[in-house]
Amino acid sequence: PKTIYLKDYQVPDYLVDSTDLHFELEPKATLVKSQLSVRRNHEAGEGLPPLLLDGVDLELISVAVDGSILPPASYQETPEGLILTVEKPEFLLEIYNRINPEDNTSLEGLYLSNDMYCTQCEAEGFRKITFYPDRPDVMSKFTTTIVSSKILPVLLSNGNEIDRGYCEDGRHFVTWEDPFAKPAYLFALVAGNLEHRDDTFTTVSGREVKLRIYTEEKNIGKCDHAMRSLKKAMRWDEEMYGREYDLDIFMVVAVDHFNMGAMENKGLNIFNSACVLASPETATDSAFQRIESIVGHEYFHNWSGNRVTCRDWFQLSLKEGFTVFRDAEFSADLNSRAVKRIEDVSLLRTSQFAEDAGPMAHPIRPESYMEISNFYTLTVYEKGAEVVRMIHTLLGQERFRRGSDLYFERHDGCAVTCEDFIVAMEDANQVDLAQFRRWYSQAGTPVLVVSDDFDQSKGIYTLNIRQTCPPTPDQEEKLPFHIPVKIGLLDGNGHDRILSDEGSTEEILEVRNVEQNFEFNGIKEKPLPSLLRGFSAPVKVRYSYTEKQLIFLMRNDSDTFNRWDASQRLAFMALSNIQQDYRDGKALQVSSELIEAYRNVLKSRILDPALVAEILTLPSEQSIAEMYDSVDAGAIVAAREFLSETLANTLAPELKEKYLELNVVKPYDPNAKDIAGRSLKNICLSYLAVAEKDDALDLLEKQFDMAENMTDSAAALRGLINHGDAIQAEAAIQSFYQHWQGDTQVVELWLGLQSSSSRYGSLENIRTLMEHPAFELKNPNKVRAVIGGFANRNFKQFHKEDGSGYKFIAEQVVALDKLNPQIAARLVIPITRWRKYTGNLSDKMKNALQDVLNSGTLSKDVFEVVNKSLI
Ligand code: B3K
Ligand code: ZN
């Protein structure tokens, strides 16, 4: 497969002013007619070069120009598309082709999910529907007519419905018109036997918009939360960004077979069912929160992505980084800001830092790719959002808003670049972000080494910050970044010192050099620094805190995020020591200071229960592994188990007291306060189960039987799977399934709880699960639940000494690659990190990768990932 480079970008030779599509739906032979008004793009130069149309897996029937069928000599069909010689500056191109939605298991282009037709076109799926210049800088006005038998009553596409009726043969049709020019990746079509839930939203200028969520009939009762979230998102975008919705209708459709979370198609968002459907009985708190944020995310794309789109796919972070930043702020405003930040940073540290340190590391604006689907990454999304957040931090809310207003105004209706975004921020505020731009072009996670010095006689406290960034593929040397480091200085009583004449207690240090000193005057005693408050930059900070200092920060830091961060540093310190003792064959131990610190947190009446829950949650094995250049998987498992057992055993009385205090019956509501209560309660329950003392199992059984919401029910099931005796665990698994087998989302949760269980999710049980009628290799959610749960959330079983886990993943990747390359390429990632593991594991992982490479013809998707990790 060939590599595509950003530096080779050229403007399109031809533009398409309008696109008129006509579909006659048949499972195995859907007929597509497309009429394109094509025009030479004068910006591209002189002359009339051939017209290149992308097309993959299409059966071409005919091509006509201005009404006459083209002779075969005027066009050439290749595996990638069509090359046409027309030699007119403007013409009407008519193409007939056939496609086979039923056999399309890649879930890209037009496919069937259950009995419903749906599409996924981003990034390059439209070329699997018809021949087209499938690139985001070709924007066109679409009209779409869908013809089908009446078995499929609902026929949807983008924009507004402008016609409907019956054909002579008894079929029916609907025509949709989208008044906004858009790239083909935002095209969508849905046809099925669907019900809908309706609501309305009155925009700030008084227009009434119809809101409609479509699902299969059995799920119609699970739309309320998404609808409420949508209305909140619409209002929030008006208030925070001045962005109003622009069509008469906004539709959302839930689909069971979907490669990712959701898709922002203009006026017709398509959602993975798991990211839109919820009810208290069937969805956990985290599902409720996920839905709110994804509904927001896709809605926000209407401006950051659709009205202003990307020029090419290297610019993906332009829309994704910005939109993730927008959705994170939306969730923070609606729920607990600190908890949202903690969750996002945990994800970034665990998974994005690993990506930045691995073989696929790339800047948020990549410079090359083989398969663009492989670049829908945590780097482009989450680190991209952190980069936008840093701009927000450097400019402040008001000036950031000025920049975003200018960006939307200047580029409305255009396909633009990350550079255009930065320039808008600069122009609106007369600032210079020249050095800041390196965040877009350099990969890797910068490391800040911080040391300090206090000159008592002069009253000067100095922070010394040195920055480095490890080499990444194709980038040996890095230039220094421009990094906003938000700090506070704590005095001996734990109070923030005043740092400026205006009385502020925080300062944003702008680090620009490889090494820099920051001085603070008029200081009488040596303060304790609180560094990188709120995680003001996506970097690693090294400062040699003592255990005592960390406990002090945990108790006193006025920055909630940093209180949690201090607890994480403390846990990592303990986990490192335990690992060392484990390797040295010594008795394992945990300091009594650490235990007391946890006891204080647990007993605190002042701390927000949400924060208590976050502090009590030990770092996952995966995030512990991320801390080391050389990972000893066995030691990590042993250390984490020991720390968790020690805390559970010593704090059992307090844990039980807290559990009983929080275990109150009240109607379910997914608000931040109640969610916090449930999460703390369930953390306590899981520790009690670890301690396996007294009546922990009775408490689990009781909660399992009595739970009135899925959060509590799933927590109890997890506890029984991990800690009940074999009979109890099996009985709980079976009864849960009996009860919920008709509910796809709950069944997915049930699969995931088993596969991620370090005790129950042995490879043997994973294989058994894959034989279960609820499992389906063609359904990405099921694959993610079972195989992904094993590889990504079951560290102990996956990294078993014998390498069986790696071999299994290799085998599944090869099988899946034939069905769904995008999903296969995601699944292979856990074994691409072989360089980091110690001992035999490294070789075994590498061999498994090699097996994939040797298995025969691979998709571009899997080939790119595997090949780059073996180089
Ligand atoms: N833009 C889509 C992602 C499409 C991924 C295609 N492989 C969802 C989102 O980020 O909102
Ligand atoms: Zn997005």
Side-chain angles (χ1 to χ4, degrees):
K2 70 168 192 289
T3 301
I4 322 244
Y5 295 91
L6 168 57
K7 63 175 166 45
D8 294 342
Y9 173 82
Q10 287 191 326
V11 297
D13 286 335
Y14 292 89
L15 301 173
V16 181
D17 292 322
S18 68
T19 300
D20 208 335
L21 300 170
H22 184 102
F23 289 84
E24 296 187 25
L25 299 176
E26 283 299 331
K28 283 196 170 296
T30 287
L31 180 68
V32 186
K33 293 190 233 171
S34 103
Q35 290 193 322
L36 313 179
S37 28
V38 181
R39 173 166 59 86
R40 172 76 171 129
N41 181 10
H42 291 296
E43 269 180 49
E46 298 297 305
L48 294 170
L51 168 63
L52 309 180
L53 301 177
D54 302 291
V56 172
D57 296 342
L58 306 174
E59 181 194 333
L60 177 64
I61 301 169
S62 66
V63 192
V65 167
D66 291 333
S68 341
I69 297 280
L70 271 195
S74 324
Y75 62 91
Q76 186 196 343
E77 222 188 323
T78 73
E80 276 93 48
L82 268 185
I83 304 169
L84 302 176
T85 316
V86 180
E87 290 176 351
K88 291 188 194 180
E90 232 176 296
F91 52 94
L92 183 70
L93 181 66
E94 271 179 288
I95 299 180
Y96 282 49
N97 68 279
R98 246 187 306 265
I99 47 179
N100 183 343
E102 190 173 280
D103 290 349
N104 181 356
T105 57
S106 70
L107 312 188
E108 207 191 14
L110 179 67
Y111 64 91
L112 278 164
S113 169
N114 303 335
D115 291 319
M116 148 186 183
Y117 289 84
C118 68
T119 53
Q120 172 53 37
C121 295
E122 189 179 358
E124 298 181 333
F126 194 76
R127 63 189 62 189
K128 294 180 133 191
I129 294 176
T130 185
F131 295 95
Y132 200 80
D134 188 9
R135 44 187 287 170
D137 54 357
V138 173
M139 298 175 76
S140 181
K141 285 193 177 159
F142 281 67
T143 308
T144 306
T145 298
I146 309 163
V147 182
S148 116
S149 88
K150 281 178 280 180
I151 306 171
L152 304 174
V154 174
L155 305 175
L156 310 174
S157 190
N158 318 81
N160 302 310
E161 183 183 315
I162 53 166
D163 195 13
R164 66 163 61 226
Y166 293 94
C167 312
E168 278 171 8
D169 57 10
R171 291 184 296 175
H172 71 143
F173 73 89
V174 179
T175 302
W176 293 83
E177 184 183 65
D178 182 354
F180 294 94
K182 66 168 177 288
Y185 86 85
L186 290 171
F187 169 80
L189 177 158
V190 168
N193 187 359
L194 300 169
E195 295 291 320
H196 57 84
R197 257 288 142 87
D198 284 5
D199 208 326
T200 57
F201 178 84
T202 307
T203 69
V204 62
S205 68
R207 275 187 316 104
E208 188 164 289
V209 177
K210 184 187 279 191
L211 310 179
R212 191 165 259 192
I213 302 181
Y214 287 92
T215 69
E216 290 173 58
E217 191 191 352
K218 65 172 183 179
N219 289 324
I220 200 69
K222 293 171 86 174
C223 300
D224 295 347
H225 178 64
M227 189 64 93
R228 273 195 301 271
S229 305
L230 175 60
K231 292 203 285 185
K232 289 181 193 166
M234 295 177 88
R235 190 62 76 212
W236 188 88
D237 214 16
E238 291 183 344
E239 287 171 359
M240 302 304 291
Y241 281 87
R243 300 294 118 202
E244 189 178 349
Y245 186 63
D246 51 13
L247 287 165
D248 303 335
I249 183 165
F250 185 83
M251 297 176 281
V252 166
V253 184
V255 178
D256 283 348
H257 296 72
F258 209 63
N259 280 349
M260 65 278 168
M263 178 63 210
E264 70 264 24
N265 315 298
K266 183 76 187 187
L268 176 57
N269 284 189
I270 298 182
F271 273 65
N272 186 324
S273 300
C275 299
V276 59
L277 302 177
S279 67
E281 305 75 47
T282 61
T284 60
D285 289 337
S286 57
F288 271 89
Q289 294 194 312
R290 177 177 71 222
I291 289 166
E292 184 178 86
S293 87
I294 299 183
V295 168
H297 180 100
E298 305 311 329
Y299 175 73
F300 301 144
H301 268 315
N302 190 55
W303 276 95
S304 49
N306 301 2
R307 288 287 288 260
V308 181
T309 194
C310 300
R311 186 194 73 173
D312 55 74
W313 293 119
F314 297 101
Q315 317 297 330
L316 184 57
S317 201
L318 172 71
K319 74 178 177 78
E320 296 306 346
F322 188 23
T323 305
V324 172
F325 172 69
R326 277 149 58 67
D327 87 53
E329 286 297 295
F330 169 63
S331 296
D333 283 346
L334 259 50
N335 306 288
S336 158
R337 177 164 285 272
V339 171
K340 173 67 180 156
R341 193 69 190 130
I342 289 169
E343 288 168 355
D344 289 351
V345 173
S346 295
L347 174 69
L348 193 85
R349 282 181 175 157
T350 308
S351 306
Q352 195 281 322
F353 282 12
E355 194 166 275
D356 245 349
M360 285 284 287
H362 51 278
I364 65 167
R365 182 185 53 214
E367 253 131 49
S368 67
Y369 59 77
M370 279 180 193
E371 171 52 61
I372 185 59
S373 300
N374 286 332
F375 288 81
Y376 284 74
T377 56
L378 287 139
T379 300
V380 166
Y381 275 66
E382 300 351 281
K383 185 176 181 179
E386 294 299 325
V387 171
V388 175
R389 180 179 295 278
M390 286 191 284
I391 298 179
H392 184 274
T393 303
L394 289 166
L395 297 180
Q397 165 61 25
E398 206 175 301
R399 297 197 308 155
F400 181 85
R401 169 69 191 267
R402 237 184 272 155
S404 88
D405 283 351
L406 179 62
Y407 169 73
F408 287 125
E409 185 197 308
R410 217 180 237 182
H411 302 297
D412 188 9
C414 302
V416 303
T417 61
C418 298
E419 179 62 18
D420 293 315
F421 182 80
I422 308 171
V423 170
M425 289 289 162
E426 287 182 325
D427 288 356
N429 298 294
Q430 278 84 52
V431 286
D432 178 2
L433 296 171
Q435 187 187 356
F436 187 85
R437 280 171 171 76
R438 290 179 190 154
W439 284 105
Y440 286 84
S441 56
Q442 298 189 146
T445 307
V447 178
L448 301 185
V449 178
V450 183
S451 59
D452 54 357
D453 184 61
F454 180 52
D455 186 335
Q456 181 99 49
S457 60
K458 295 200 185 109
I460 297 178
Y461 175 72
T462 309
L463 277 174
N464 173 279
I465 305 185
R466 272 181 300 133
Q467 60 163 310
T468 56
C469 183
T472 46
D474 303 328
Q475 293 186 340
E476 267 309 306
E477 298 291 332
K478 312 288 164 94
L479 296 168
F481 290 89
H482 177 187
I483 308 172
V485 179
K486 193 183 198 183
I487 60 124
L489 300 179
L490 275 67
D491 67 19
N493 296 319
H495 297 134
D496 275 330
R497 300 195 131 276
I498 310 261
L499 299 178
S500 71
D501 297 342
E502 297 83 58
S504 62
T505 55
E506 287 184 334
E507 197 169 314
I508 293 162
L509 310 179
E510 296 196 27
V511 175
R512 293 167 178 271
N513 303 339
V514 173
E515 179 166 2
Q516 221 165 321
N517 280 335
F518 297 90
E519 285 190 357
F520 302 86
N521 297 310
I523 307 236
K524 295 200 180 57
E525 54 168 344
K526 185 175 183 184
L528 181 63
S530 164
L531 302 166
L532 204 75
R533 284 190 164 172
F535 196 70
S536 63
V539 300
K540 297 184 180 179
V541 173
R542 308 238 190 278
Y543 175 87
S544 39
Y545 286 113
T546 62
E547 186 178 63
K548 217 166 137 198
Q549 289 174 328
L550 290 174
I551 293 173
F552 187 81
L553 286 174
M554 242 171 109
R555 272 176 172 258
N556 297 298
D557 202 321
S558 63
D559 185 76
T560 314
F561 176 85
N562 267 13
R563 279 198 181 192
W564 169 80
D565 202 38
S567 77
Q568 293 289 293
R569 285 176 188 269
L570 195 64
F572 281 121
M573 200 183 262
L575 288 162
S576 266
N577 293 337
I578 305 171
Q579 283 183 70
Q580 195 52 52
D581 288 346
Y582 175 82
R583 273 190 293 267
D584 295 345
K586 290 194 192 148
L588 308 186
Q589 51 173 342
V590 177
S591 79
S592 55
E593 287 79 10
L594 180 135
I595 294 174
E596 281 321 299
Y598 274 79
R599 195 194 307 279
N600 284 330
V601 168
L602 184 55
K603 290 178 78 166
S604 167
R605 297 266 147 216
I606 311 160
L607 280 182
D608 175 359
L611 184 63
V612 177
E614 293 292 348
I615 292 178
L616 290 180
T617 307
L618 295 182
S620 65
E621 291 94 341
Q622 206 53 60
S623 70
I624 304 170
E626 213 296 306
M627 302 296 280
Y628 303 97
D629 293 332
S630 159
V631 177
D632 181 345
I636 288 180
V637 171
R640 192 178 185 280
E641 278 180 2
F642 181 73
L643 181 54
S644 141
E645 279 161 19
T646 310
L647 290 172
N649 288 318
T650 32
L651 302 179
E654 288 86 356
L655 287 161
K656 176 126 178 236
E657 194 184 319
K658 187 58 91 183
Y659 175 78
L660 294 175
E661 175 193 325
L662 292 169
N663 194 24
V664 286
V665 182
K666 63 169 167 178
Y668 180 84
D669 186 346
N671 63 57
K673 184 164 175 287
D674 289 5
I675 290 179
R678 279 187 291 272
S679 75
L680 180 50
K681 172 181 80 176
N682 286 320
I683 288 278
C684 292
L685 183 61
S686 77
Y687 271 111
L688 289 170
V690 169
E692 288 177 13
K693 272 216 189 117
D694 314 342
D695 49 353
L697 287 175
D698 293 343
L699 292 180
L700 280 174
E701 292 267 11
K702 198 158 151 212
Q703 178 163 325
F704 185 68
D705 293 338
M706 308 290 288
E708 285 178 4
N709 61 70
M710 188 46 75
T711 305
D712 288 344
S713 175
L717 178 60
R718 176 184 284 115
L720 289 169
I721 293 176
N722 282 319
H723 304 283
D725 62 43
I727 297 172
Q728 255 175 331
E730 199 55 47
I733 289 170
Q734 293 319 327
S735 79
F736 190 93
Y737 184 73
Q738 285 307 317
H739 193 260
W740 291 113
Q741 54 183 308
D743 189 299
T744 311
Q745 285 73 50
V746 182
V747 170
E748 284 164 15
L749 179 71
W750 176 80
L751 292 168
L753 286 176
Q754 295 171 74
S755 67
S756 60
S757 160
S758 60
R759 196 177 73 162
Y760 194 85
S762 64
L763 183 52
E764 195 190 335
N765 281 352
I766 300 297
R767 290 199 191 272
T768 312
L769 265 187
M770 289 178 67
E771 298 296 315
H772 193 281
F775 184 79
E776 194 195 340
L777 197 60
K778 287 186 181 167
N779 183 321
N781 288 3
K782 304 278 172 76
V783 171
R784 279 185 281 255
V786 177
I787 314 178
F790 174 74
N792 296 308
R793 292 182 295 282
N794 191 348
F795 196 85
K796 186 174 178 174
Q797 299 287 350
F798 175 60
H799 292 289
K800 238 176 122 179
E801 274 294 316
D802 60 6
S804 54
Y806 310 151
K807 259 189 134 39
F808 168 73
I809 290 301
E811 194 186 289
Q812 297 307 320
V813 166
V814 171
L816 258 169
D817 198 31
K818 313 250 178 308
L819 298 172
N820 188 330
Q822 283 183 22
I823 299 297
R826 300 274 152 163
L827 203 62
V828 78
I829 288 170
I831 57 171
T832 62
R833 311 258 156 89
W834 59 274
R835 280 196 170 84
K836 282 191 72 154
Y837 286 79
T838 56
N840 290 333
L841 290 187
S842 182
D843 290 343
K844 296 204 157 108
M845 224 183 263
K846 188 181 177 195
N847 291 341
L849 264 186
Q850 198 69 54
D851 288 348
V852 175
L853 198 61
N854 298 341
S855 69
T857 318
L858 296 173
S859 66
K860 272 202 282 186
D861 309 58
V862 171
F863 176 80
E864 178 172 34
V865 178
V866 172
N867 186 52
K868 285 185 175 166
S869 5
L870 284 169
I871 285 172

